[in-house]
Every structure is written in C-alpha cells, then in structure tokens.
Amino acid sequence: MDALEEMLNGYGISTKNSEGNWREFGSIMLELQYAWKGFSDTEKAEMLNCMALN
C-alpha cells in the first residue's frame, strides 16, 4: 500500500486526514476521478500498474 499512497500523494491526492488516519475510500476516489482527467497516458498507465500490484 505504501507505493500507492506515495503515488496518490505525489499527484496531490490526500490519503490521510489531519489525525494521520486513512480518509474514507469514497473521498479518495472522488479526488482521483477529478485528477484522472488531467493525467497523461503514461501517468494513467503508471497508476493502473501500481493499483494492480497492491
């Protein structure tokens, strides 16, 4: 999960709340859906590959 968390955070998608706990999955997915529109084909491939490995 560390690689996916690092990748999401690298794209500005916050995975933890202010208390250091994981945010709700739905909140993370909404941010990812919005960010996905701006990803290049390479970034999309990297993200999908990372998700498949985790």
Side-chain angles (χ1 to χ4, degrees):
M1 191 63 92
D2 291 334
L4 180 58
E5 181 179 4
E6 284 183 35
M7 181 170 280
L8 288 170
N9 289 332
Y11 289 117
I13 299 169
S14 177
T15 56
K16 304 274 177 96
N17 62 23
S18 60
E19 298 169 351
N21 299 316
W22 277 89
R23 293 175 56 216
E24 291 183 26
F25 180 75
S27 297
I28 295 171
M29 286 304 302
L30 284 175
E31 283 190 46
L32 180 56
Q33 287 174 342
Y34 179 77
W36 189 263
K37 295 174 185 176
F39 285 179
S40 68
D41 289 341
T42 302
E43 290 170 325
K44 289 177 181 178
E46 288 174 354
M47 181 69 72
L48 291 172
N49 185 45
C50 188
M51 285 189 222
L53 296 175
N54 290 295

